[in-house]
Amino acid sequence: MKNILSSKFKCTVGVGILSWKSHKTLEKSLQSYEEIGFKNFFDEVKIIFQEISDDDIALAKKYGYDYVGTEKNLGIQEGHRLIHENLNTDYILVLENDNPVVENTDITLKRLSKSLELLESNTIDIMRLRHRWS
């Protein structure tokens, strides 16, 4: 079954979350995702844990996320590469453990949809999203 973004576009969309020893920070981000049904936007969602621990695995399972882990910290650049290697979707949203969603479901979906529209029309090659507090 296709998810929300895939239903609107003729592509698949995944999200990868890079994390390293930040359980409380990651949990706050995952809680923000739960509040707006974030996982339902995507075809595939996976957490990449560097220096994976039992606590990491428990957190992923608590929120129903697939995960991959490394024995040592490979750094942000290698972590991002692992996200790309471990997701099998046309587009990938790359997040880190300290990227909570601060907008509601409608605004978040609108921003992601607009990003995909621009990517699919070849207007842009990459989209970076961020929130700027006023």
Side-chain angles (χ1 to χ4, degrees):
M1 181 175 132
K2 287 192 168 201
N3 290 305
I4 293 172
L5 291 171
S6 295
S7 296
K8 293 177 84 172
F9 298 92
K10 294 180 180 178
C11 62
T12 56
V13 185
V15 61
I17 306 161
L18 182 61
S19 187
W20 177 66
K21 293 187 176 186
S22 297
H23 303 107
K24 289 181 183 177
T25 303
L26 176 60
E27 185 152 27
K28 285 181 183 178
S29 292
L30 296 178
Q31 287 170 349
S32 77
Y33 305 159
E34 289 296 306
E35 289 172 12
I36 66 163
F38 196 64
K39 281 190 299 191
N40 298 325
F41 296 179
F42 303 98
D43 299 287
E44 189 176 355
V45 181
K46 197 169 284 183
I47 303 173
I48 307 298
F49 290 110
Q50 297 202 55
E51 290 186 45
I52 194 168
S53 69
D54 291 339
D55 289 338
D56 292 327
I57 294 168
L59 192 56
K61 288 181 179 180
K62 176 180 177 181
Y63 288 92
Y65 283 82
D66 289 334
Y67 62 89
V68 171
T70 64
E71 288 185 19
K72 61 182 185 173
N73 182 2
L74 304 174
I76 293 173
Q77 186 173 351
E78 271 304 296
H80 286 186
R81 185 183 62 75
L82 287 171
I83 288 172
H84 291 276
E85 288 179 355
N86 284 281
L87 287 161
N88 298 304
T89 55
D90 298 316
Y91 295 101
I92 298 172
L93 176 62
V94 176
L95 300 174
E96 294 180 13
N97 58 349
D98 60 349
N99 293 138
V101 172
V102 296
E103 296 292 354
N104 64 38
T105 303
D106 292 338
I107 290 173
T108 302
L109 189 55
K110 183 177 179 180
R111 298 292 183 260
L112 291 170
S113 295
K114 184 63 177 176
S115 298
L116 278 172
E117 179 184 312
L118 293 168
L119 288 162
E120 281 286 284
S121 67
N122 291 316
T123 304
I124 62 171
D125 296 321
I126 189 169
M127 174 63 89
R128 179 179 175 201
L129 301 171
R130 65 180 221 157
H131 190 278
R132 183 174 168 191
W133 298 104
S134 347

